[in-house]
Amino acid sequence: MRPARSWLYVPGDRPERIGKALASDADEVILDLEDAVAPAAKDEARRAVLATLADGHRAHVRINATDGSQGRADVEALAAAPGALAGVRVPKCEDPGELGRVADALGVAVHPVVESAFGVEHAYALATAHPLVAGISLGEADLAADLRVPGVESLTWPRSRIVVAARAAGLPSPVQSAWTAVRDLDGLRADTEAGRKAGFFGRSVLHPAQIPVVHEACAPDPDEVARARSLVDALRVTDEAAWIDHSGRFVDAAVVEQARWLLSITGEGTSRRTGNDAESVHKVQTDQRDGTARQDRHSAEHTNNDEGHAP
């Protein structure tokens, strides 16, 4: 399954916008009950979101922070509601125990959003808080305010911390925070490309006009895809854990894993795995793993992806 590239936020109290978001080209839609909704409109937004899910529309929901009454009301309502809830984003996440309670209550994929210095310090604990944790990401505007830095460009270290925590936990690469200069599409493209190089994949978006730009920025270079495809094809005719390819490049487990990831972005990562190919991949990946716990975590990742993270 191709990882999600675009995650489109839409205010939960704007039904007309919800319909447009669901009809857009976004890979995932997030119905927002938190920052995009005024305090006086929270109940109205909750009713609109529940109605959307009850109509069978698959979507994620960003709930309010669960240390407050609105967040607790969100969890209670979603736990009792029928519908196509794909997962929830849990904002201002700091407490792994509380995150686990939300996951238990809802039984769907949960995505903690780290927005404070305390949350960054506990990133790995949050990423491993519950088997239903399907991804972890940053809320950069709030984090910048908490760190008292002038802007999100000062967040290099927290971004790396989230990338490492996610991958150490066996989760997908983190989704980048939203680009708030909605009309600056060139800036969005450059920043998304830089994010990919830093270990992120996909991006939260605030307007449909940002979607094609993010998709383009997430697309791998065709020459890189061709090389990855050639490498994976070579696995069908070798049982070696390492070898020199036709271009003279040394190939080992790390190179194979990178090729697999690159092909997964294009949507063809799993369709080409058969026979000796599967055995070779298993061998080279097992050489890098550090025990059954890591393998179990990857199994949980695939299960969670089926539920709500394409990512």
Side-chain angles (χ1 to χ4, degrees):
M1 184 181 295
R2 171 186 285 182
R5 301 159 296 177
S6 54
W7 299 71
L8 177 61
Y9 277 96
V10 57
D13 61 338
R14 301 294 295 272
E16 73 286 358
R17 291 190 185 180
I18 291 175
K20 292 178 180 178
L22 292 169
S24 74
D25 290 330
D27 288 341
E28 300 288 349
V29 171
I30 304 172
L31 310 178
D32 194 7
L33 294 173
E34 197 213 9
D35 284 349
V37 179
K42 296 290 186 182
D43 290 341
E44 177 187 350
R46 195 176 296 118
R47 287 192 295 269
V49 166
L50 294 177
T52 299
L53 297 173
D55 284 343
H57 297 293
R58 179 187 176 279
H60 296 254
V61 174
R62 178 167 71 170
I63 62 176
N64 289 279
T66 55
D67 60 353
S69 59
Q70 292 292 353
R72 291 190 290 271
D74 292 341
V75 172
E76 183 179 353
L78 290 171
L85 180 63
V88 293
R89 288 206 169 193
V90 185
K92 299 175 177 59
C93 216
E94 294 183 340
D95 182 357
E98 176 62 18
L99 180 63
R101 288 187 284 275
V102 171
D104 284 336
L106 297 179
V108 297
V110 293
H111 301 255
V113 183
V114 174
E115 303 184 67
S116 67
F118 192 87
V120 172
E121 284 295 295
H122 293 80
Y124 182 73
L126 292 169
T128 56
H130 193 279
L132 284 173
V133 175
I136 185 169
S137 59
L138 286 176
E140 294 190 348
D142 284 72
L143 179 59
D146 190 45
L147 294 177
R148 298 175 178 173
V149 297
V152 296
E153 63 276 1
S154 304
L155 299 181
T156 300
W157 186 86
R159 287 169 175 166
S160 295
R161 179 73 182 97
I162 290 297
V163 169
V164 171
R167 296 304 299 135
L171 297 175
S173 299
V175 176
Q176 270 187 281
S177 189
W179 179 257
T180 57
V182 174
R183 295 182 180 179
D184 181 9
L185 299 183
D186 290 337
L188 170 64
R189 179 180 286 103
D191 194 64
T192 306
E193 290 172 351
R196 271 198 62 198
K197 293 177 182 177
F200 291 84
F201 186 81
R203 183 142 212 173
S204 297
V205 296
L206 304 176
H207 191 279
Q210 295 179 315
I211 295 170
V213 177
V214 168
H215 287 185
E216 290 169 10
C218 288
D221 180 88
D223 290 339
E224 292 179 356
V225 173
R227 284 193 293 269
R229 191 179 296 120
S230 176
L231 188 155
V232 169
D233 286 342
L235 288 172
R236 301 184 178 191
V237 294
T238 182
D239 58 0
E240 298 293 331
W243 68 93
I244 305 296
D245 70 11
H246 67 278
S247 67
R249 182 185 183 188
F250 179 75
V251 177
D252 64 359
V255 176
V256 170
E257 192 161 346
Q258 283 280 51
R260 283 284 181 211
W261 163 241
L262 199 65
L263 292 179
S264 76
I265 297 173
T266 70
E268 62 176 279
T270 57
S271 62
R272 304 174 70 85
R273 184 183 300 176
T274 56
N276 292 335
D277 182 7
E279 291 182 13
S280 298
V281 170
H282 175 74
K283 184 180 191 308
V284 295
Q285 289 184 342
T286 301
D287 289 343
Q288 287 193 320
R289 302 295 189 234
D290 59 356
T292 341
R294 180 63 182 259
Q295 292 287 359
D296 289 344
R297 187 67 193 184
H298 275 272
S299 297
E301 175 187 347
H302 292 308
T303 301
N304 292 341
N305 281 349
D306 289 340
E307 273 201 83
H309 187 97

